[in-house]
Structure formats: C-alpha cells, structure tokens
Amino acid sequence: MTWAVWAPLIIPFLAVPAARRLAAALPPRPAALLLVAAAVTLACLSGAALALLAGAAVLRLPVVASLGHLSVPLLERIAPAAVPVGVVAAVAAGAVAVAVARVLHGHRAARARVSRELAGHSRAGDLTVLPDEGADAYALPGRPGGVVVTAGMLRGLDADERAVLLAHERAHLTGRHHLLLLLARLAAGAHPALRGLREPLAFQVERWADEAAAVAVGDRRLAARPVVRAALAASAAPAGRLR
C-alpha cells in the first residue's frame, strides 16, 4: 500500500482544523465556499482511497486474478496484507454509502414534511405567514419555496426589522445555502473528521445572510436586531425545518 492511497484517509484530520482557521479569517461568502470545497474534495479523495484499498484486495482473489488474466509479478506487487485491509475498507465504504443514503433520505423527508405543514396556508409572493403566536422564521428552498414567518414573529418587529428579516431569509435562498449545508452533511458521512466543518459552515452562511440583509437595508446596526431574535427562536424550533 503506497502513501498516496493512505494519505486521503489521514489528511482530513489535519486539513479540517486548518480550513476552520482560514475560514475564520475570511469574509463570510468566501469562507463558506472554502469550507464546502474542502469538505467535498476531502470526501471524494477519502472515498477514492477506500475504493482503491478494497480493489487491491479483490485483485488478490484467485478467481478475479484468473478472470483478469493478471500476471504473477503484478499480484506479487500487491501485499498479502491488502486482503484484510481491503475487507475493512470495503466495510467502511459500505458504511459511507449507508450514511450518505440516510442523509439524502432525511433531507427529502424533511422537505416533504415541511411542505405538508404549509399546505393550505396562503402565500403572498414568496412569503408564507403561519398563524402561530410563537416567534419563528426560516427559508424554504425548492419549488415553490420561499420565506416562512409566523404571525407572532411579524407582530414583534417593526416595518424596518421585518424588511431585514425577510432580506436575511431571502439571502439564504439566493445563495443556495441549503445546498452548501447538504453537501457538508454528505461529506461528513464520508469521513468522520469532516463533521468538524459543519458547524463553522452553518455559522458562515448565517454571516453571509446577515451581510446581505445589511446591504439590503443600508443599516448594519438595524440588520442585527431581528436576525438575532429569529436565530434565538430557530434554536428551539422543531427538527426538520430547513434553515
């Protein structure tokens, strides 16, 4: 087994802390894109490494070697230890596939659940107002998608604060932040070290939306107030809502 095969499985443990530190020094948009790019790249490389390790074990099997007409010198270059290592890699690859499938299934189920909850509620453009006295607001991606706000949240804000809140949630939609977060969740299923990128990515996309809201209203101090209230309400919201 060469270092080139093992490196993609080890590097994420070193690259994740470095990516987090670098992202913390960047503006929110490039920071979020950096974290996603790092997560996807490292996940793909680690997946390829698992495939190569499993493939080397398969090539050592006499049946496969005979079917492929592999020469003895070629087989001798593949160490006997490749078989047990390859078995472990195959099991790990299977676990990765299951984890990725579960993330995709959970994502679709959550979107379907939220869509059912919103069925029958009237929309005004891209805005859906729920007759709920609690304070909550979130962006709902997809078709038709839009911004969902509770009546209690709207009543707690003045006109300027409502404009900031809607600009913040719409920035999530225009920035396709749900896709960035989904990619990070999928990458985390491919390698345990990549779970460390999910939290900073969520923070950076919120900063990204904050910046967009501040630009939209032209007042950074005003932009901070309703967004903080919405974030506090969202922290206690039921699971399954897409932020």
Side-chain angles (χ1 to χ4, degrees):
M1 303 300 172
T2 65
W3 171 248
V5 176
W6 287 102
L9 300 175
I10 300 171
I11 287 176
F13 292 102
L14 305 175
V16 167
R20 290 172 61 116
R21 286 193 294 270
L22 180 56
L26 294 174
R29 185 175 184 274
L33 296 178
L34 166 70
L35 292 170
V36 171
V40 172
T41 301
L42 293 171
C44 290
L45 291 176
S46 64
L50 290 177
L52 288 173
L53 290 170
V58 170
L59 291 177
R60 288 283 304 186
L61 297 177
V63 174
V64 176
S66 62
L67 290 176
H69 303 291
L70 301 180
S71 63
V72 172
L74 176 60
L75 292 176
E76 289 177 347
R77 293 177 60 185
I78 303 175
V83 175
V85 170
V87 171
V88 174
V91 172
V96 167
V98 171
V100 169
R102 290 182 64 181
V103 169
L104 290 174
H105 175 74
H107 179 73
R108 295 192 189 99
R111 292 188 59 172
R113 180 167 56 252
V114 174
S115 296
R116 288 194 300 270
E117 292 175 357
L118 298 181
H121 293 286
S122 60
R123 289 171 54 94
D126 67 342
L127 178 63
T128 300
V129 179
L130 300 179
D132 189 334
E133 292 306 314
D136 198 6
Y138 55 94
L140 180 64
R143 297 180 181 178
V147 178
V148 181
V149 185
T150 62
M153 172 65 83
L154 292 179
R155 277 194 287 271
L157 305 175
D158 61 30
D160 290 336
E161 290 174 332
R162 291 173 192 162
V164 173
L165 178 62
L166 295 178
H168 176 93
E169 300 302 340
R170 285 169 178 150
H172 283 316
L173 296 173
T174 57
R176 312 286 286 178
H177 294 168
H178 64 289
L179 292 180
L180 303 184
L181 295 172
L182 176 60
L183 287 173
R185 290 178 61 199
L186 292 171
H191 195 290
L194 300 180
R195 297 171 187 168
L197 295 179
R198 291 180 57 184
E199 183 178 345
L201 175 61
F203 174 70
Q204 294 298 342
V205 297
E206 288 301 324
R207 287 184 60 213
W208 183 347
D210 289 347
E211 292 292 330
V215 170
V217 300
D219 188 336
R220 189 173 297 275
R221 293 177 61 187
L222 172 65
R225 297 204 302 266
V227 171
V228 169
R229 296 185 198 176
L232 290 174
S235 66
R241 291 179 175 177
L242 306 179
R243 303 292 173 184

